[in-house]
Amino acid sequence: MLNTLEYGSRTDEPDLLIVHGLYGSGRNWGAVAKRLAPERRIVSVDQRNHGHSPWFDSHSYHDMARDLAEVIEAQGAPMDVMGHSMGGKASMILALTRPDLVNRLIVADIAPVQYTHDQNQFIAAMRAVDLSRVEKRSDAIDQLAQNVDDPTLRSFFTQSLDLNGRKWRLNLDVLEAEMPKVIGFPEISGNFEGRTLFLSGSESDYVTPEHRPRIRELFPKARFAKITGAGHWLHAEKPREFVQSVQAWLNATSAQASNS
């Protein structure tokens, strides 16, 4: 089973499962989880081939959805699910294939479509780091600067670095081989009838008006919101606004459910 981190205690609100994106981990979401935890229990996962979770030879969205289903089943009740980027796609497949496990769905800055951007350049950058010369995280950040321009990304990548073992907690070989699946989205029919929020950064181009017909086909109750001034990494760039948006939508939909 996937490695999980838990925050807070069970309340009258459903538990919330947080699913990170490519090259991330559950720990990356600690600040957001702690801010959300007073109102609900939070479970944050390390996805397969990431963090402290097991490594596998495959990395498809159906694989990831089955992993998430196993986590929710172990909790003993359906959960609200929030996924970012790759985690958002995995969460969408989970909701479409196992709607019995998902109360509400929050998809952070991703659409159920094929993208053209390849993320393998970052795998090459991580492989280029001479781990034998890394004593502290800043050493790796300095080396990454040769190939990664964005300082936020350099810091983000090194959160998946095991300093003691001098290795990446990312299955770089499989992620590289499976990248076409990661940037794609499986052909799938049916829809998820639960309440769904697509929350995007106003400066991001990952979710565009052209994507909305397909989104509404799969998620007929979808609602859309944007965080002003945020890009694809909206939860890291605008954490307070991100948490406020998530809390407001969860509270509003809880009130609607209780009044219906």
Side-chain angles (χ1 to χ4, degrees):
M1 187 182 296
L2 299 181
N3 182 63
T4 60
L5 299 170
E6 298 182 10
Y7 304 84
S9 303
R10 281 204 162 101
T11 69
D12 292 337
E13 291 293 320
D15 293 349
L16 175 66
L17 181 70
I18 297 180
V19 191
H20 67 79
L22 183 63
Y23 308 136
S25 69
R27 191 168 67 90
N28 297 150
W29 285 79
V32 168
K34 289 173 184 175
R35 288 174 174 169
L36 292 170
E39 295 186 14
R40 55 186 48 82
R41 177 170 167 265
I42 310 295
V43 178
S44 184
V45 299
D46 290 342
Q47 293 219 70
R48 61 170 50 208
N49 298 313
H50 290 72
H52 293 280
S53 283
W55 286 13
F56 297 93
D57 290 335
S58 61
H59 201 80
S60 74
Y61 284 113
H62 283 287
D63 291 331
M64 288 181 263
R66 283 188 288 269
D67 293 340
L68 299 176
E70 186 178 24
V71 171
I72 296 176
E73 287 171 337
Q75 304 301 314
M79 301 176 73
D80 293 333
V81 179
M82 178 169 68
H84 171 249
S85 199
M86 179 187 76
K89 286 186 171 182
S91 299
M92 285 189 273
I93 293 297
L94 170 69
L96 291 165
T97 57
R98 292 295 308 273
D100 56 305
L101 297 179
V102 181
N103 290 314
R104 293 170 291 186
L105 178 65
I106 300 171
V107 181
D109 211 66
I110 203 73
V113 299
Q114 168 90 31
Y115 290 91
T116 57
H117 53 263
D118 191 310
Q119 303 288 341
N120 278 332
Q121 72 271 24
F122 298 125
I123 290 179
M126 284 183 266
R127 282 187 175 138
V129 174
D130 182 354
L131 295 176
S132 69
R133 297 194 293 113
V134 172
E135 299 290 339
K136 52 189 183 298
R137 207 167 302 279
S138 60
D139 296 334
I141 290 174
D142 291 343
Q143 290 191 51
L144 282 170
Q146 300 172 33
N147 297 298
V148 179
D149 294 333
D150 188 337
T152 301
L153 283 179
R154 296 197 295 266
S155 177
F156 168 70
F157 293 148
T158 60
Q159 291 181 48
S160 291
L161 186 59
D162 177 358
L163 287 173
N164 292 328
R166 291 189 176 179
K167 61 182 181 181
W168 294 100
R169 290 198 179 101
L170 298 165
N171 190 345
L172 298 178
D173 291 344
V174 166
L175 294 176
E176 180 180 48
E178 297 279 80
M179 191 61 67
K181 294 177 183 176
V182 173
I183 64 174
F185 193 78
E187 287 293 327
I188 193 165
S189 59
N191 56 52
F192 173 66
E193 291 289 345
R195 299 177 191 272
T196 305
L197 174 66
F198 281 78
L199 183 59
S200 305
S202 67
E203 306 303 311
S204 171
D205 60 359
Y206 275 70
V207 182
T208 68
E210 290 75 22
H211 297 149
R212 290 199 177 191
R214 180 55 173 161
I215 290 172
R216 292 196 184 280
E217 182 181 359
L218 295 174
F219 304 95
K221 294 183 179 177
R223 295 293 181 265
F224 299 87
K226 287 186 180 293
I227 295 178
T228 302
H232 183 59
W233 303 94
L234 64 176
H235 62 290
E237 296 168 16
K238 300 282 186 178
R240 181 174 298 177
E241 293 87 346
F242 181 86
V243 169
Q244 289 173 343
S245 297
V246 169
Q247 285 177 327
W249 184 79
L250 289 173
N251 291 341
T253 50
S254 290
Q256 291 167 7
S258 64
N259 292 331
S260 62

